[in-house]
């Protein structure tokens, strides 16, 4: 599996982790859909903030995955998944110049644009080298 494929898989999982609670909330109340953004309109600053958010969500995932896997039953797993999703939302919200709606919009745009996907991968590589 290439790094690009791994990133796409991580991105999909992250978007799903964040989108699932949104979908559940929309059933209860009518919330607006996250804003859309064209890939070519995503600035370098937005890419940097998005990558910071990805890395923050990755830390949450790394923290909660073993706990979820070790949970005694499905109810405990569900509770931990909900807790992890809340922690992921909070992690994204704590990133400067990023919010959940922007995060989801950029993730969706990256899923449609190889050029944006490559910009994000380059930024991830750069940040991990630091």
């Amino acid at each position: 599996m290439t790094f690009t494929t791994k990133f796409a898989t991580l991105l999909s999982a992250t978007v799903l982790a964040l989108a699932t609670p949104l979908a559940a909330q929309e059933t209860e109340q009518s919330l607006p859909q996250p804003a859309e953004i064209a890939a070519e309109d995503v600035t370098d600053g937005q890419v940097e903030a998005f990558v910071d958010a990805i890395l923050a969500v990755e830390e949450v995932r790394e923290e909660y995955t073993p706990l979820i896997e070790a949970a005694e039953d499905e109810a405990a797993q569900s509770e931990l998944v909900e807790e992890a999703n809340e922690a992921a939302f909070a992690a994204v919200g704590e990133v400067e110049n990023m919010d959940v709606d922007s995060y989801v919009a950029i993730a969706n745009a990256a899923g449609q644009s190889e050029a944006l996907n490559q910009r994000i991968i380059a930024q991830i590589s750069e940040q991990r080298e630091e």
Side-chain angles (χ1 to χ4, degrees):
M1 185 182 294
T2 66
F3 182 73
T4 303
T5 306
K6 287 181 184 177
F7 172 71
T9 303
L10 170 66
L11 185 61
S12 297
T14 303
V15 169
L16 287 175
L18 292 173
T20 301
L22 285 176
Q25 289 175 3
E26 285 179 0
T27 312
E28 296 172 16
Q29 56 186 335
S30 182
L31 295 176
Q33 293 293 319
E36 291 186 20
I37 187 169
E40 59 272 7
D41 293 338
V42 178
T43 67
D44 289 342
Q46 287 172 309
V47 168
E48 189 174 323
F50 179 73
V51 168
D52 288 344
I54 286 175
L55 297 175
V57 169
E58 190 175 82
E59 287 180 20
V60 171
R61 184 181 54 82
E62 288 173 359
E63 178 184 342
Y64 278 92
T65 298
L67 299 173
I68 292 167
E69 290 173 354
E72 294 179 17
D73 56 31
E74 195 172 311
Q77 283 182 333
S78 293
E79 187 175 317
L80 283 167
V81 166
E82 186 175 322
E83 189 177 312
N85 282 336
E86 289 174 15
F89 274 112
V92 170
E94 290 174 7
V95 172
E96 188 174 337
N97 300 318
M98 184 56 53
D99 57 44
V100 173
D101 286 344
S102 297
Y103 181 89
V104 172
I106 294 169
N108 288 337
Q112 303 289 320
S113 168
E114 183 60 29
L116 179 56
N117 194 34
Q118 290 302 319
R119 287 173 58 201
I120 292 167
I121 290 169
Q123 183 67 36
I124 289 172
S125 296
E126 184 178 312
Q127 285 196 20
R128 286 196 170 148
E129 288 175 6
E130 293 178 352

